[in-house]
Amino acid sequence: MPGPRRPTDVLKANGRKHMTQAEEDARRDQEVHVPPPERAEPPAWLMKRFHREFHEIGEILRLAGLYAELDRDVLGQFLVSRDRWVRADKLASAAIRAKDEKLAREWTGVQSSYFKQCRQCAEAMGLSVSSRCRLVVPPALATAAVEADEVDEFTQALRARQARAAGK
């Protein structure tokens, strides 16, 4: 079974795939390019107490090229699940100190559930070292067609389409 589809620039950088210019152009036309936002804005549903941290983490991710406007819900879910995990951890610790085994077991289960949610969001956003190593982030869209003295009609149409996709 083949692995996940990689962006054209990543394939070329690895040097394992040799494609003709036409193949490269066709692949680039199929790739999805989401422009990075000017600023990381929290979703409307996120409580105000998380906004400062959302802006901090969002800005770090944005500058690293790992954040798009589509990611704001995942980052918000990460902050909420992490906060709930911390609260469940405190309650589980209190139950353990009180030697209430049944309550400690319940809160440990809740804590585990929130930790899994938090970890899934963190891995999706590239907030851990191992998840950043697995992420493949395509660099900024480069012009797919090669500069030539004589530009044919197909190349002109392709360049116009790529410029529209890049928001130019």
Side-chain angles (χ1 to χ4, degrees):
M1 188 162 109
R5 186 175 173 98
R6 304 263 188 222
T8 307
D9 290 334
V10 173
L11 288 177
K12 286 188 71 177
N14 288 340
R16 295 186 193 138
K17 191 91 167 173
H18 300 286
M19 295 180 272
T20 66
Q21 192 64 45
E23 290 173 326
E24 280 185 43
D25 292 343
R27 277 187 70 101
R28 287 184 204 279
D29 284 344
Q30 294 174 355
E31 293 175 2
V32 176
H33 299 282
V34 180
E38 294 291 319
R39 170 166 195 243
E41 289 296 327
W45 57 264
L46 189 63
M47 293 173 272
K48 295 283 185 203
R49 63 189 174 117
F50 295 118
H51 283 211
R52 182 184 58 77
E53 193 170 12
F54 184 96
H55 287 297
E56 288 175 9
I57 296 173
E59 188 63 20
I60 292 168
L61 290 170
R62 191 183 70 77
L63 292 174
L66 298 175
Y67 181 83
E69 201 61 36
L70 299 171
D71 301 319
R72 66 181 174 176
D73 282 335
V74 177
L75 183 54
Q77 289 168 337
F78 166 75
L79 295 171
V80 170
S81 62
R82 188 182 65 184
D83 181 64
R84 290 179 180 166
W85 169 71
V86 168
R87 283 194 274 155
D89 182 56
K90 288 178 183 176
L91 292 168
S93 296
I96 291 169
R97 280 192 302 274
K99 296 184 180 14
D100 187 346
E101 192 174 313
K102 183 181 177 209
L103 188 60
R105 194 176 311 116
E106 288 176 18
W107 278 113
T108 304
V110 171
Q111 174 192 19
S112 175
S113 176
Y114 285 130
F115 182 75
K116 287 176 187 173
Q117 290 175 14
C118 185
R119 188 180 62 223
Q120 283 179 328
C121 291
E123 287 178 1
M125 294 293 299
L127 295 176
S128 67
V129 173
S130 59
S131 65
R132 280 192 302 275
C133 291
R134 286 192 303 267
L135 287 176
V136 176
V137 181
L141 178 65
T143 305
V146 176
E147 296 294 326
D149 293 336
E150 289 184 26
V151 179
D152 62 358
E153 187 177 344
F154 174 76
T155 304
Q156 288 176 345
L158 180 63
R159 287 182 182 162
R161 182 175 178 185
Q162 289 174 336
R164 284 192 308 272
K168 294 179 182 177

